[in-house]
Amino acid sequence: MSVTAARGFSASGVAAGIKSSGNRDLAVVVNHGPSYAAAGVFTSNRVQAAPVRWSRAVLADGRLSSVVLNSGGANACTGQAGAVDTRLTAERAAAALGTDAREVAVCSTGLIGVRLPVDAVLSGVDAAVAELTGESGGGERAADAILTTDTVRKTAVAHGAGGWTVGGMAKGAGMLAPGLATMLVVITTDAELPAGTLDAALREAVRTTFDRVDSDGCMSTNDTVLLLASGASGQRPGAAEFTDALRAVCRDLSRQLVQDAEGASKEIDVVVTGAASEEDAVAVGRSVARSNLLKCALHGEDPNWGRVLSAVGTTSAYFDPDRLDVAVNGVWVCRDGAAGEAREKCDLTGRRVTVTVDLKAGDASAEIWTNDLTAAYVHENSAYSS
Amino acid sequence: MSVTAARGFSASGVAAGIKSSGNRDLAVVVNHGPSYAAAGVFTSNRVQAAPVRWSRAVLADGRLSSVVLNSGGANACTGQAGAVDTRLTAERAAAALGTDAREVAVCSTGLIGVRLPVDAVLSGVDAAVAELTGESGGGERAADAILTTDTVRKTAVAHGAGGWTVGGMAKGAGMLAPGLATMLVVITTDAELPAGTLDAALREAVRTTFDRVDSDGCMSTNDTVLLLASGASGQRPGAAEFTDALRAVCRDLSRQLVQDAEGASKEIDVVVTGAASEEDAVAVGRSVARSNLLKCALHGEDPNWGRVLSAVGTTSAYFDPDRLDVAVNGVWVCRDGAAGEAREKCDLTGRRVTVTVDLKAGDASAEIWTNDLTAAYVHENSAYSS
């Protein structure tokens, strides 16, 4: 259902010739109103792609009428020429849609440092606008057109009481780490909410979902999560109710990102409990999720809790090294900083793995979602740009 | 030549039965004086192995007469029982050598979380003391006995004017990251210098050598670098002169660690220039050296400068994203934050790779030494403890 699940939106995805594979590579999502309120969060990487700079600027007034997205090139580190390419893209969409370029966000994903074939992009915009539809097929083709090394389309929908809907699409399979990840996400809703409410809800939802995905510790130059609200349902849910639905969609899409992470054979939830603060729990979770050695061990189905402790020890969180407990798939293989239950009790044959760290320093907790490190990841990322 | 290159030292390495392979796994290094001044630096990981806690404590008075080292088990995360094992080891060596246990440092390396076979360790201490020799063979056997996943022995020697010598041995092949790395290093000298001078020289030398090795971003629980001075040459070099020789030995051993990093097919020097401060240069260098995506790309001989910029962008160093230059093996593939010279000019077929980042923000610089990420690394670390 994707971005066309909510009323007031149409979408399309076409093969514009940006990708050499000939697959769909350009999507357009249009908000038909009556409201055009919008919010967005972007990468915290200081090296930011031209479309990120553009979209951040046009979102300053909390209003968007459409989004153009392309795969096949990130338009990052492309200098002033790349900035012009993004502006031309927004202007072409605005002309075709009869709107202002300053209401058009642009998102790009793919290889960094390469100019986009701008003629292909511009004619692709025309083709995509011609194929816009509010039917589910439009949302699905749009979700297909933003994929890069992803192997499956990623969409999610949540419904609110009273007849309003939140729907979204995402891409992202590598360079996934906080701030946000190499992800493009567009979420639509037909709830009628002002931009300030959307912004607060989006930041709160992203904080505990997309920002907790840490596939490979690498932060992208292009991360963008956009939320567009058409108001077409005529419903005005409360902020808490809306945030819950939005968080559900963000969480669903986040899990789909981890499930499809490059080369992964295990999905690993790092759950940190007993922390003195949520900040401590997140710091410990990230450190564990970024241990290449632990990720290799779990790939080999080895519940190597020593590698968990060595990662915890690099943080400045509150804990006593001699009181740390670690469980792998529910078996407390480390108690009080030393060997606990027999490691042979751990069943690591499945795809899902949970590593739990109890810091015994407070009541706060957090989860980080990651995956294992495999030879397939190395292969995929050795060959990516060749 | 190793630790017996300097006068006043003897060493040995024996197969104590700690490793199931039957290889040498226990070494003893003895300082015969007339001076017993010593210094050490240890892991900054907050989860510290029992031998690290012990050695740090006994070094508090700047005096050591011997060191016992074992491979085949890290004695980390082994609780109070592990602490007792370390103390028993030092006491056994002290009894055999006719010294005090509080002059005996202990170093262990191997799997975390497993108790050492203490009977094997104690009888190994006796056997090693019986085989002590000041000949070069003693130093070489000691260097062999501390290896784990290392494939080659690592030793280095430097000679000072006037007839004094610095010699050392090291182990380390994985879990190599600052603070320090999974390394055990013992360096000896026959220069006659007080403990305070040794400590300052060691900290200065380590800061720009062992602390700049970042193989896989993982920080160990057991890192130890010890420096023992016998004074047997009767020479008292100046602090600067001694530090230079010590740094040369540390640098030589550091390069050997990177050369032998687990699964590596490329040695990568990340050189950061034009930084506003050395701290900035180190932060940028570490971020680049920890990019799994870049390390995969270089493994695939792809000069993927976009992955360099995305890593630089995650730091808080001073720089303007639109002025960054990046060279790969001397070819400036990125100029002013965008594509520069043709990437095809880069020759990445050799084992040595230099990635240079010019931040254009000042005169400071730093180097971080790392290696590529390979399927062999994944394989080795998936199977390590099984």
Side-chain angles (χ1 to χ4, degrees), chain A residues 104-120:
Chain A
V104 181
V106 179
C107 303
S108 300
T109 183
L111 195 60
I112 298 173
V114 179
R115 288 278 303 280
L116 286 170
V118 70
D119 290 342

Side-chain angles (χ1 to χ4, degrees), chain A residues 45-46 302 310 313 317 381 385, chain B residues 45-46 302 307 310 313 317 381 385:
Chain A
N45 200 311
R46 291 171 59 202
D302 166 15
S310 72
N381 287 297
S385 77
Chain B
N45 200 311
R46 291 171 58 202
D302 166 16
R307 293 176 180 179
S310 72
N381 287 296
S385 78

